[in-house]
């Protein structure tokens, strides 16, 4: 189960990572954390029931959420857009379903899925970058993502690329997310033109040669290049897998990004740069892989 601010993506996943059955439900975050948790437990119960009806009873539960996640203790520490504060999701699921359960972070799980089943397959060191409303990252080595000492590793979106620049949601000035996320691209374009546009519109207009759109897009690519430069220097990945809404721009994003990186990296080896393959199911599949690891002993 992948719990997001607006919806939850749920599936029954078999031992090979294939989706046997999928469901989507609204999260209804406005109803409050306790009600959301009740919905999660009900949906999980329904999924387990469905699996049993099919003659293949569930053997474990994996759930991933955004924000700060204490994976060791199975606690959703802080998820702003879902409203979780210190929710012991793993224990609640284990009690309700009488199955082993594991709790993970949505982007790290998505990175694991891309590394094992998607665009990063075949690479031992994968840097997964999800560029949407915000920018998040995951560093996956041999199919395992590293959470850091406090569950906050891989937050590439908060690398400061423009000191003193636009204020980020985290409180700092000039974070990559505040300059080059899809939301930031739309906002910058609107400020300069007094026209509302999504990042996808800006990409299209930039390709069509509209000067303001070209400038905004180039600035975003430049900032992403600087952020990636730092991330590549730290992680030395074999491949960078770019996902999230902005990756829909395809070669309009990856082409210039790859080219700009080639010009900025010095001693660092340039990683392959590919578009994510699993779309918005990556988190859900990653949750399935986390659950499988409880059963088959990997990780
Ligand atoms: Zn920030």
């Amino acid at each position: 189960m992948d719990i997001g601010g607006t919806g939850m993506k749920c599936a029954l996943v078999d031992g090979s990572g294939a989706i046997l059955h999928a469901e989507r439900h609204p999260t209804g975050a406005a109803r409050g954390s306790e009600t959301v948790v009740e919905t999660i437990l009900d949906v999980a119960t329904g999924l387990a029931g469905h699996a049993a009806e099919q003659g293949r009873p569930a053997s474990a539960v994996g759930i991933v959420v955004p924000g700060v996640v204490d994976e060791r203790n199975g606690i959703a520490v802080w998820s702003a857009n879902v409203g979780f504060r210190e929710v012991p999701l793993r224990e609640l699921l284990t009690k309700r379903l009488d199955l082993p359960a594991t709790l993970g972070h949505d982007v790290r799980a998505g990175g694991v899925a891309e590394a094992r089943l998607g665009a990063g397959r075949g690479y031992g060191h994968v840097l997964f970058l999800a560029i949407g409303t915000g920018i998040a990252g995951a560093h996956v080595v041999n199919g395992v993502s590293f959470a850091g000492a406090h569950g906050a590793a891989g937050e590439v979106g908060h690398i400061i690329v423009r000191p003193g620049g636009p204020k980020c949601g985290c409180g700092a000035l000039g974070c990559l997310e505040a300059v080059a996320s899809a939301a930031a691209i739309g906002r910058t374009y609107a400020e300069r033109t007094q026209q509302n546009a999504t990042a996808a519109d800006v990409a299209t207009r930039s390709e069509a040669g509209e000067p303001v759109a070209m400038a905004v897009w180039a600035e975003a690519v430049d900032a992403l290049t600087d952020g990636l430069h730092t991330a590549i220097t730290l992680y030395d990945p074999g491949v960078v897998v770019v996902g999230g809404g902005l990756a829909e721009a395809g070669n309009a994003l990856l082409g210039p990004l790859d080219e700009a990186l080639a010009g900025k990296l010095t001693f660092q080896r340039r990683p392959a740069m590919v578009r994510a393959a699993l779309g918005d199911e990556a988190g859900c599949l990653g949750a399935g892989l986390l659950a499988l690891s409880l059963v088959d002993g990997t990780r």
Side-chain angles (χ1 to χ4, degrees), residues 33 37 63-90 103-106 108 147 149-152:
S33 171
V37 169
I63 182 166
V64 301
V65 301
V68 180
V69 179
D70 178 349
E71 297 182 0
R72 183 184 298 262
N73 296 305
I75 294 170
V77 176
W78 182 78
S79 303
N81 50 2
V82 188
F84 291 155
R85 296 281 184 281
E86 306 286 346
V87 180
L89 270 175
R90 185 177 71 197
L103 172 71
H105 179 264
D106 58 352
R108 285 198 291 272
H150 312 95

PDB file of all heavy atoms in Angstrom, residues 33 37 63-90 103-106 108 147 149-152:
ATOM      1  N   SER A  33      -6.245  12.115  10.890  1.00  0.00           N
ATOM      2  CA  SER A  33      -5.325  10.986  10.903  1.00  0.00           C
ATOM      3  C   SER A  33      -5.977   9.673  11.352  1.00  0.00           C
ATOM      4  O   SER A  33      -5.796   8.631  10.734  1.00  0.00           O
ATOM      5  CB  SER A  33      -4.149  11.340  11.809  1.00  0.00           C
ATOM      6  OG  SER A  33      -3.345  10.230  12.028  1.00  0.00           O
ATOM      7  N   VAL A  37      -6.268   6.236   9.192  1.00  0.00           N
ATOM      8  CA  VAL A  37      -5.703   4.959   9.643  1.00  0.00           C
ATOM      9  C   VAL A  37      -6.768   3.861   9.601  1.00  0.00           C
ATOM     10  O   VAL A  37      -6.504   2.737   9.158  1.00  0.00           O
ATOM     11  CB  VAL A  37      -5.099   5.093  11.063  1.00  0.00           C
ATOM     12  CG1 VAL A  37      -4.749   3.731  11.644  1.00  0.00           C
ATOM     13  CG2 VAL A  37      -3.856   5.978  11.025  1.00  0.00           C
ATOM     14  N   ILE A  63       3.683  -1.310   3.647  1.00  0.00           N
ATOM     15  CA  ILE A  63       2.989  -0.031   3.494  1.00  0.00           C
ATOM     16  C   ILE A  63       4.041   1.075   3.455  1.00  0.00           C
ATOM     17  O   ILE A  63       5.038   1.011   4.184  1.00  0.00           O
ATOM     18  CB  ILE A  63       1.966   0.187   4.631  1.00  0.00           C
ATOM     19  CG1 ILE A  63       1.197   1.499   4.434  1.00  0.00           C
ATOM     20  CG2 ILE A  63       2.626   0.154   5.996  1.00  0.00           C
ATOM     21  CD1 ILE A  63      -0.032   1.603   5.306  1.00  0.00           C
ATOM     22  N   VAL A  64       3.856   2.048   2.567  1.00  0.00           N
ATOM     23  CA  VAL A  64       4.796   3.170   2.499  1.00  0.00           C
ATOM     24  C   VAL A  64       4.031   4.479   2.581  1.00  0.00           C
ATOM     25  O   VAL A  64       2.909   4.591   2.105  1.00  0.00           O
ATOM     26  CB  VAL A  64       5.673   3.123   1.229  1.00  0.00           C
ATOM     27  CG1 VAL A  64       6.467   1.827   1.173  1.00  0.00           C
ATOM     28  CG2 VAL A  64       4.859   3.290  -0.044  1.00  0.00           C
ATOM     29  N   VAL A  65       4.665   5.458   3.232  1.00  0.00           N
ATOM     30  CA  VAL A  65       4.043   6.776   3.435  1.00  0.00           C
ATOM     31  C   VAL A  65       5.090   7.855   3.150  1.00  0.00           C
ATOM     32  O   VAL A  65       6.289   7.590   3.174  1.00  0.00           O
ATOM     33  CB  VAL A  65       3.507   6.931   4.888  1.00  0.00           C
ATOM     34  CG1 VAL A  65       2.486   5.854   5.212  1.00  0.00           C
ATOM     35  CG2 VAL A  65       4.638   6.916   5.896  1.00  0.00           C
ATOM     36  N   PRO A  66       4.634   9.091   2.882  1.00  0.00           N
ATOM     37  CA  PRO A  66       5.595  10.185   2.674  1.00  0.00           C
ATOM     38  C   PRO A  66       6.070  10.771   3.996  1.00  0.00           C
ATOM     39  O   PRO A  66       5.540  10.429   5.048  1.00  0.00           O
ATOM     40  CB  PRO A  66       4.764  11.214   1.899  1.00  0.00           C
ATOM     41  CG  PRO A  66       3.361  10.995   2.334  1.00  0.00           C
ATOM     42  CD  PRO A  66       3.241   9.522   2.683  1.00  0.00           C
ATOM     43  N   GLY A  67       7.067  11.629   3.919  1.00  0.00           N
ATOM     44  CA  GLY A  67       7.508  12.372   5.106  1.00  0.00           C
ATOM     45  C   GLY A  67       8.642  11.687   5.834  1.00  0.00           C
ATOM     46  O   GLY A  67       9.491  11.042   5.233  1.00  0.00           O
ATOM     47  N   VAL A  68       8.639  11.823   7.153  1.00  0.00           N
ATOM     48  CA  VAL A  68       9.687  11.217   7.970  1.00  0.00           C
ATOM     49  C   VAL A  68       9.164   9.898   8.515  1.00  0.00           C
ATOM     50  O   VAL A  68       8.093   9.836   9.120  1.00  0.00           O
ATOM     51  CB  VAL A  68      10.108  12.153   9.133  1.00  0.00           C
ATOM     52  CG1 VAL A  68      11.196  11.491   9.975  1.00  0.00           C
ATOM     53  CG2 VAL A  68      10.571  13.496   8.590  1.00  0.00           C
ATOM     54  N   VAL A  69       9.915   8.824   8.247  1.00  0.00           N
ATOM     55  CA  VAL A  69       9.463   7.485   8.597  1.00  0.00           C
ATOM     56  C   VAL A  69      10.532   6.795   9.445  1.00  0.00           C
ATOM     57  O   VAL A  69      11.694   6.751   9.061  1.00  0.00           O
ATOM     58  CB  VAL A  69       9.230   6.650   7.311  1.00  0.00           C
ATOM     59  CG1 VAL A  69       8.772   5.245   7.672  1.00  0.00           C
ATOM     60  CG2 VAL A  69       8.213   7.332   6.404  1.00  0.00           C
ATOM     61  N   ASP A  70      10.122   6.292  10.584  1.00  0.00           N
ATOM     62  CA  ASP A  70      11.018   5.491  11.424  1.00  0.00           C
ATOM     63  C   ASP A  70      10.816   4.035  11.018  1.00  0.00           C
ATOM     64  O   ASP A  70       9.926   3.349  11.528  1.00  0.00           O
ATOM     65  CB  ASP A  70      10.669   5.719  12.902  1.00  0.00           C
ATOM     66  CG  ASP A  70      11.534   4.877  13.845  1.00  0.00           C
ATOM     67  OD1 ASP A  70      12.251   3.972  13.367  1.00  0.00           O
ATOM     68  OD2 ASP A  70      11.468   5.132  15.060  1.00  0.00           O
ATOM     69  N   GLU A  71      11.645   3.581  10.062  1.00  0.00           N
ATOM     70  CA  GLU A  71      11.458   2.244   9.506  1.00  0.00           C
ATOM     71  C   GLU A  71      11.753   1.161  10.539  1.00  0.00           C
ATOM     72  O   GLU A  71      11.094   0.131  10.592  1.00  0.00           O
ATOM     73  CB  GLU A  71      12.347   2.073   8.262  1.00  0.00           C
ATOM     74  CG  GLU A  71      11.947   3.055   7.168  1.00  0.00           C
ATOM     75  CD  GLU A  71      12.762   2.924   5.875  1.00  0.00           C
ATOM     76  OE1 GLU A  71      13.660   2.076   5.790  1.00  0.00           O
ATOM     77  OE2 GLU A  71      12.471   3.702   4.947  1.00  0.00           O
ATOM     78  N   ARG A  72      12.747   1.421  11.389  1.00  0.00           N
ATOM     79  CA  ARG A  72      13.144   0.415  12.375  1.00  0.00           C
ATOM     80  C   ARG A  72      11.979   0.090  13.318  1.00  0.00           C
ATOM     81  O   ARG A  72      11.708  -1.060  13.628  1.00  0.00           O
ATOM     82  CB  ARG A  72      14.343   0.929  13.185  1.00  0.00           C
ATOM     83  CG  ARG A  72      14.878  -0.058  14.189  1.00  0.00           C
ATOM     84  CD  ARG A  72      15.994   0.591  14.992  1.00  0.00           C
ATOM     85  NE  ARG A  72      17.112   0.985  14.132  1.00  0.00           N
ATOM     86  CZ  ARG A  72      18.209   0.251  13.978  1.00  0.00           C
ATOM     87  NH1 ARG A  72      18.332  -0.889  14.621  1.00  0.00           N
ATOM     88  NH2 ARG A  72      19.175   0.667  13.198  1.00  0.00           N
ATOM     89  N   ASN A  73      11.278   1.145  13.766  1.00  0.00           N
ATOM     90  CA  ASN A  73      10.187   0.936  14.718  1.00  0.00           C
ATOM     91  C   ASN A  73       8.805   0.927  14.072  1.00  0.00           C
ATOM     92  O   ASN A  73       7.796   0.786  14.756  1.00  0.00           O
ATOM     93  CB  ASN A  73      10.248   2.005  15.809  1.00  0.00           C
ATOM     94  CG  ASN A  73      11.520   1.885  16.635  1.00  0.00           C
ATOM     95  OD1 ASN A  73      11.807   0.822  17.178  1.00  0.00           O
ATOM     96  ND2 ASN A  73      12.306   2.953  16.692  1.00  0.00           N
ATOM     97  N   GLY A  74       8.771   1.087  12.759  1.00  0.00           N
ATOM     98  CA  GLY A  74       7.490   1.013  12.054  1.00  0.00           C
ATOM     99  C   GLY A  74       6.539   2.161  12.359  1.00  0.00           C
ATOM    100  O   GLY A  74       5.324   1.977  12.401  1.00  0.00           O
ATOM    101  N   ILE A  75       7.116   3.355  12.555  1.00  0.00           N
ATOM    102  CA  ILE A  75       6.284   4.511  12.939  1.00  0.00           C
ATOM    103  C   ILE A  75       6.318   5.601  11.862  1.00  0.00           C
ATOM    104  O   ILE A  75       7.394   5.998  11.413  1.00  0.00           O
ATOM    105  CB  ILE A  75       6.768   5.088  14.291  1.00  0.00           C
ATOM    106  CG1 ILE A  75       6.528   4.046  15.395  1.00  0.00           C
ATOM    107  CG2 ILE A  75       6.058   6.395  14.626  1.00  0.00           C
ATOM    108  CD1 ILE A  75       7.159   4.382  16.713  1.00  0.00           C
ATOM    109  N   ALA A  76       5.119   6.048  11.444  1.00  0.00           N
ATOM    110  CA  ALA A  76       5.014   7.200  10.552  1.00  0.00           C
ATOM    111  C   ALA A  76       5.166   8.437  11.431  1.00  0.00           C
ATOM    112  O   ALA A  76       4.238   8.842  12.127  1.00  0.00           O
ATOM    113  CB  ALA A  76       3.671   7.212   9.841  1.00  0.00           C
ATOM    114  N   VAL A  77       6.387   8.993  11.455  1.00  0.00           N
ATOM    115  CA  VAL A  77       6.721  10.053  12.413  1.00  0.00           C
ATOM    116  C   VAL A  77       6.034  11.371  12.058  1.00  0.00           C
ATOM    117  O   VAL A  77       5.461  12.038  12.912  1.00  0.00           O
ATOM    118  CB  VAL A  77       8.256  10.253  12.459  1.00  0.00           C
ATOM    119  CG1 VAL A  77       8.623  11.414  13.381  1.00  0.00           C
ATOM    120  CG2 VAL A  77       8.941   8.974  12.920  1.00  0.00           C
ATOM    121  N   TRP A  78       6.099  11.711  10.756  1.00  0.00           N
ATOM    122  CA  TRP A  78       5.574  13.027  10.348  1.00  0.00           C
ATOM    123  C   TRP A  78       5.311  13.011   8.850  1.00  0.00           C
ATOM    124  O   TRP A  78       6.220  12.914   8.058  1.00  0.00           O
ATOM    125  CB  TRP A  78       6.593  14.113  10.697  1.00  0.00           C
ATOM    126  CG  TRP A  78       6.154  15.490  10.380  1.00  0.00           C
ATOM    127  CD1 TRP A  78       5.282  16.257  11.092  1.00  0.00           C
ATOM    128  CD2 TRP A  78       6.553  16.290   9.254  1.00  0.00           C
ATOM    129  NE1 TRP A  78       5.110  17.475  10.477  1.00  0.00           N
ATOM    130  CE2 TRP A  78       5.877  17.522   9.348  1.00  0.00           C
ATOM    131  CE3 TRP A  78       7.404  16.074   8.179  1.00  0.00           C
ATOM    132  CZ2 TRP A  78       6.038  18.537   8.405  1.00  0.00           C
ATOM    133  CZ3 TRP A  78       7.566  17.084   7.239  1.00  0.00           C
ATOM    134  CH2 TRP A  78       6.885  18.302   7.372  1.00  0.00           C
ATOM    135  N   SER A  79       4.051  13.038   8.478  1.00  0.00           N
ATOM    136  CA  SER A  79       3.685  13.109   7.062  1.00  0.00           C
ATOM    137  C   SER A  79       2.721  14.279   6.909  1.00  0.00           C
ATOM    138  O   SER A  79       1.530  14.149   7.183  1.00  0.00           O
ATOM    139  CB  SER A  79       2.991  11.825   6.609  1.00  0.00           C
ATOM    140  OG  SER A  79       3.792  10.703   6.832  1.00  0.00           O
ATOM    141  N   ALA A  80       3.251  15.417   6.480  1.00  0.00           N
ATOM    142  CA  ALA A  80       2.457  16.642   6.448  1.00  0.00           C
ATOM    143  C   ALA A  80       1.172  16.485   5.634  1.00  0.00           C
ATOM    144  O   ALA A  80       0.085  16.815   6.110  1.00  0.00           O
ATOM    145  CB  ALA A  80       3.293  17.780   5.877  1.00  0.00           C
ATOM    146  N   ASN A  81       1.268  15.937   4.407  1.00  0.00           N
ATOM    147  CA  ASN A  81       0.087  15.938   3.545  1.00  0.00           C
ATOM    148  C   ASN A  81      -0.902  14.823   3.851  1.00  0.00           C
ATOM    149  O   ASN A  81      -1.987  14.781   3.294  1.00  0.00           O
ATOM    150  CB  ASN A  81       0.482  15.948   2.063  1.00  0.00           C
ATOM    151  CG  ASN A  81       1.491  14.881   1.732  1.00  0.00           C
ATOM    152  OD1 ASN A  81       1.878  14.107   2.606  1.00  0.00           O
ATOM    153  ND2 ASN A  81       1.913  14.814   0.490  1.00  0.00           N
ATOM    154  N   VAL A  82      -0.545  13.898   4.741  1.00  0.00           N
ATOM    155  CA  VAL A  82      -1.495  12.874   5.166  1.00  0.00           C
ATOM    156  C   VAL A  82      -1.977  13.162   6.584  1.00  0.00           C
ATOM    157  O   VAL A  82      -3.033  12.682   7.002  1.00  0.00           O
ATOM    158  CB  VAL A  82      -0.862  11.459   5.097  1.00  0.00           C
ATOM    159  CG1 VAL A  82      -1.905  10.385   5.342  1.00  0.00           C
ATOM    160  CG2 VAL A  82      -0.199  11.221   3.740  1.00  0.00           C
ATOM    161  N   GLY A  83      -1.209  13.948   7.314  1.00  0.00           N
ATOM    162  CA  GLY A  83      -1.596  14.325   8.669  1.00  0.00           C
ATOM    163  C   GLY A  83      -1.113  13.367   9.747  1.00  0.00           C
ATOM    164  O   GLY A  83      -1.564  13.433  10.892  1.00  0.00           O
ATOM    165  N   PHE A  84      -0.177  12.455   9.397  1.00  0.00           N
ATOM    166  CA  PHE A  84       0.319  11.511  10.410  1.00  0.00           C
ATOM    167  C   PHE A  84       1.315  12.178  11.359  1.00  0.00           C
ATOM    168  O   PHE A  84       2.197  12.914  10.929  1.00  0.00           O
ATOM    169  CB  PHE A  84       1.034  10.326   9.747  1.00  0.00           C
ATOM    170  CG  PHE A  84       0.133   9.407   8.984  1.00  0.00           C
ATOM    171  CD1 PHE A  84       0.636   8.630   7.955  1.00  0.00           C
ATOM    172  CD2 PHE A  84      -1.209   9.295   9.288  1.00  0.00           C
ATOM    173  CE1 PHE A  84      -0.177   7.763   7.246  1.00  0.00           C
ATOM    174  CE2 PHE A  84      -2.034   8.433   8.590  1.00  0.00           C
ATOM    175  CZ  PHE A  84      -1.512   7.667   7.553  1.00  0.00           C
ATOM    176  N   ARG A  85       1.149  11.898  12.636  1.00  0.00           N
ATOM    177  CA  ARG A  85       2.131  12.283  13.651  1.00  0.00           C
ATOM    178  C   ARG A  85       2.308  11.072  14.557  1.00  0.00           C
ATOM    179  O   ARG A  85       1.384  10.688  15.265  1.00  0.00           O
ATOM    180  CB  ARG A  85       1.610  13.443  14.518  1.00  0.00           C
ATOM    181  CG  ARG A  85       1.365  14.752  13.797  1.00  0.00           C
ATOM    182  CD  ARG A  85       2.654  15.516  13.559  1.00  0.00           C
ATOM    183  NE  ARG A  85       2.366  16.806  12.956  1.00  0.00           N
ATOM    184  CZ  ARG A  85       2.091  16.986  11.662  1.00  0.00           C
ATOM    185  NH1 ARG A  85       2.085  15.948  10.850  1.00  0.00           N
ATOM    186  NH2 ARG A  85       1.837  18.180  11.186  1.00  0.00           N
ATOM    187  N   GLU A  86       3.498  10.470  14.493  1.00  0.00           N
ATOM    188  CA  GLU A  86       3.812   9.349  15.396  1.00  0.00           C
ATOM    189  C   GLU A  86       2.756   8.244  15.356  1.00  0.00           C
ATOM    190  O   GLU A  86       2.253   7.819  16.390  1.00  0.00           O
ATOM    191  CB  GLU A  86       3.971   9.858  16.844  1.00  0.00           C
ATOM    192  CG  GLU A  86       4.977  10.983  17.033  1.00  0.00           C
ATOM    193  CD  GLU A  86       6.433  10.511  16.935  1.00  0.00           C
ATOM    194  OE1 GLU A  86       6.667   9.297  16.988  1.00  0.00           O
ATOM    195  OE2 GLU A  86       7.310  11.377  16.778  1.00  0.00           O
ATOM    196  N   VAL A  87       2.419   7.789  14.175  1.00  0.00           N
ATOM    197  CA  VAL A  87       1.431   6.711  14.047  1.00  0.00           C
ATOM    198  C   VAL A  87       2.153   5.365  13.906  1.00  0.00           C
ATOM    199  O   VAL A  87       2.927   5.173  12.964  1.00  0.00           O
ATOM    200  CB  VAL A  87       0.525   6.931  12.812  1.00  0.00           C
ATOM    201  CG1 VAL A  87      -0.492   5.798  12.689  1.00  0.00           C
ATOM    202  CG2 VAL A  87      -0.182   8.283  12.891  1.00  0.00           C
ATOM    203  N   PRO A  88       1.903   4.436  14.839  1.00  0.00           N
ATOM    204  CA  PRO A  88       2.585   3.124  14.785  1.00  0.00           C
ATOM    205  C   PRO A  88       1.921   2.188  13.769  1.00  0.00           C
ATOM    206  O   PRO A  88       1.332   1.167  14.126  1.00  0.00           O
ATOM    207  CB  PRO A  88       2.439   2.597  16.223  1.00  0.00           C
ATOM    208  CG  PRO A  88       1.170   3.219  16.714  1.00  0.00           C
ATOM    209  CD  PRO A  88       1.024   4.554  16.006  1.00  0.00           C
ATOM    210  N   LEU A  89       2.051   2.537  12.505  1.00  0.00           N
ATOM    211  CA  LEU A  89       1.315   1.830  11.443  1.00  0.00           C
ATOM    212  C   LEU A  89       1.650   0.341  11.376  1.00  0.00           C
ATOM    213  O   LEU A  89       0.781  -0.488  11.136  1.00  0.00           O
ATOM    214  CB  LEU A  89       1.604   2.478  10.091  1.00  0.00           C
ATOM    215  CG  LEU A  89       0.673   3.616   9.680  1.00  0.00           C
ATOM    216  CD1 LEU A  89       1.162   4.238   8.376  1.00  0.00           C
ATOM    217  CD2 LEU A  89      -0.765   3.116   9.512  1.00  0.00           C
ATOM    218  N   ARG A  90       2.925   0.018  11.552  1.00  0.00           N
ATOM    219  CA  ARG A  90       3.312  -1.399  11.425  1.00  0.00           C
ATOM    220  C   ARG A  90       2.587  -2.258  12.460  1.00  0.00           C
ATOM    221  O   ARG A  90       2.011  -3.290  12.131  1.00  0.00           O
ATOM    222  CB  ARG A  90       4.829  -1.539  11.584  1.00  0.00           C
ATOM    223  CG  ARG A  90       5.294  -2.976  11.347  1.00  0.00           C
ATOM    224  CD  ARG A  90       6.792  -3.091  11.431  1.00  0.00           C
ATOM    225  NE  ARG A  90       7.272  -2.929  12.799  1.00  0.00           N
ATOM    226  CZ  ARG A  90       8.537  -2.661  13.127  1.00  0.00           C
ATOM    227  NH1 ARG A  90       9.442  -2.495  12.185  1.00  0.00           N
ATOM    228  NH2 ARG A  90       8.882  -2.539  14.390  1.00  0.00           N
ATOM    229  N   LEU A 103       6.895  -1.043   7.401  1.00  0.00           N
ATOM    230  CA  LEU A 103       6.568   0.324   7.006  1.00  0.00           C
ATOM    231  C   LEU A 103       7.791   0.958   6.358  1.00  0.00           C
ATOM    232  O   LEU A 103       8.903   0.829   6.868  1.00  0.00           O
ATOM    233  CB  LEU A 103       6.157   1.144   8.239  1.00  0.00           C
ATOM    234  CG  LEU A 103       5.972   2.647   8.014  1.00  0.00           C
ATOM    235  CD1 LEU A 103       4.724   2.944   7.197  1.00  0.00           C
ATOM    236  CD2 LEU A 103       5.902   3.380   9.354  1.00  0.00           C
ATOM    237  N   GLY A 104       7.589   1.605   5.226  1.00  0.00           N
ATOM    238  CA  GLY A 104       8.696   2.267   4.551  1.00  0.00           C
ATOM    239  C   GLY A 104       8.333   3.661   4.097  1.00  0.00           C
ATOM    240  O   GLY A 104       7.224   4.152   4.333  1.00  0.00           O
ATOM    241  N   HIS A 105       9.292   4.291   3.425  1.00  0.00           N
ATOM    242  CA  HIS A 105       9.123   5.652   2.906  1.00  0.00           C
ATOM    243  C   HIS A 105       8.753   5.553   1.429  1.00  0.00           C
ATOM    244  O   HIS A 105       9.354   4.772   0.688  1.00  0.00           O
ATOM    245  CB  HIS A 105      10.445   6.389   3.095  1.00  0.00           C
ATOM    246  CG  HIS A 105      10.436   7.783   2.586  1.00  0.00           C
ATOM    247  ND1 HIS A 105      10.904   8.124   1.338  1.00  0.00           N
ATOM    248  CD2 HIS A 105       9.995   8.930   3.148  1.00  0.00           C
ATOM    249  CE1 HIS A 105      10.774   9.424   1.166  1.00  0.00           C
ATOM    250  NE2 HIS A 105      10.219   9.941   2.249  1.00  0.00           N
ATOM    251  N   ASP A 106       7.781   6.354   0.986  1.00  0.00           N
ATOM    252  CA  ASP A 106       7.259   6.180  -0.376  1.00  0.00           C
ATOM    253  C   ASP A 106       8.316   6.341  -1.469  1.00  0.00           C
ATOM    254  O   ASP A 106       8.396   5.508  -2.384  1.00  0.00           O
ATOM    255  CB  ASP A 106       6.056   7.106  -0.626  1.00  0.00           C
ATOM    256  CG  ASP A 106       6.359   8.580  -0.431  1.00  0.00           C
ATOM    257  OD1 ASP A 106       7.458   8.922   0.048  1.00  0.00           O
ATOM    258  OD2 ASP A 106       5.480   9.401  -0.759  1.00  0.00           O
ATOM    259  N   ARG A 108      11.686   6.224  -1.171  1.00  0.00           N
ATOM    260  CA  ARG A 108      12.736   5.204  -1.069  1.00  0.00           C
ATOM    261  C   ARG A 108      12.232   3.868  -1.601  1.00  0.00           C
ATOM    262  O   ARG A 108      12.945   3.143  -2.291  1.00  0.00           O
ATOM    263  CB  ARG A 108      13.219   5.065   0.378  1.00  0.00           C
ATOM    264  CG  ARG A 108      14.107   6.223   0.823  1.00  0.00           C
ATOM    265  CD  ARG A 108      14.913   5.876   2.064  1.00  0.00           C
ATOM    266  NE  ARG A 108      14.095   5.735   3.245  1.00  0.00           N
ATOM    267  CZ  ARG A 108      13.761   6.736   4.060  1.00  0.00           C
ATOM    268  NH1 ARG A 108      14.180   7.957   3.808  1.00  0.00           N
ATOM    269  NH2 ARG A 108      13.008   6.526   5.117  1.00  0.00           N
ATOM    270  N   ALA A 147      18.162   4.660   4.514  1.00  0.00           N
ATOM    271  CA  ALA A 147      17.273   5.624   5.150  1.00  0.00           C
ATOM    272  C   ALA A 147      18.039   6.673   5.943  1.00  0.00           C
ATOM    273  O   ALA A 147      17.487   7.707   6.295  1.00  0.00           O
ATOM    274  CB  ALA A 147      16.294   4.909   6.066  1.00  0.00           C
ATOM    275  N   ALA A 149      20.479   7.820   9.400  1.00  0.00           N
ATOM    276  CA  ALA A 149      20.370   7.593  10.841  1.00  0.00           C
ATOM    277  C   ALA A 149      19.007   8.015  11.383  1.00  0.00           C
ATOM    278  O   ALA A 149      18.543   7.514  12.403  1.00  0.00           O
ATOM    279  CB  ALA A 149      21.477   8.351  11.578  1.00  0.00           C
ATOM    280  N   HIS A 150      18.346   8.960  10.678  1.00  0.00           N
ATOM    281  CA  HIS A 150      17.091   9.503  11.206  1.00  0.00           C
ATOM    282  C   HIS A 150      15.957   9.432  10.196  1.00  0.00           C
ATOM    283  O   HIS A 150      15.010  10.199  10.256  1.00  0.00           O
ATOM    284  CB  HIS A 150      17.300  10.960  11.645  1.00  0.00           C
ATOM    285  CG  HIS A 150      18.523  11.149  12.484  1.00  0.00           C
ATOM    286  ND1 HIS A 150      19.734  11.546  11.955  1.00  0.00           N
ATOM    287  CD2 HIS A 150      18.732  10.926  13.799  1.00  0.00           C
ATOM    288  CE1 HIS A 150      20.633  11.580  12.930  1.00  0.00           C
ATOM    289  NE2 HIS A 150      20.058  11.211  14.050  1.00  0.00           N
ATOM    290  N   GLY A 151      16.084   8.531   9.201  1.00  0.00           N
ATOM    291  CA  GLY A 151      15.014   8.355   8.229  1.00  0.00           C
ATOM    292  C   GLY A 151      14.873   9.499   7.243  1.00  0.00           C
ATOM    293  O   GLY A 151      13.802   9.710   6.687  1.00  0.00           O
ATOM    294  N   ALA A 152      15.940  10.236   7.000  1.00  0.00           N
ATOM    295  CA  ALA A 152      15.817  11.402   6.120  1.00  0.00           C
ATOM    296  C   ALA A 152      16.889  11.449   5.037  1.00  0.00           C
ATOM    297  O   ALA A 152      17.116  12.496   4.435  1.00  0.00           O
ATOM    298  CB  ALA A 152      15.858  12.684   6.957  1.00  0.00           C
TER     299      ALA A 152
END
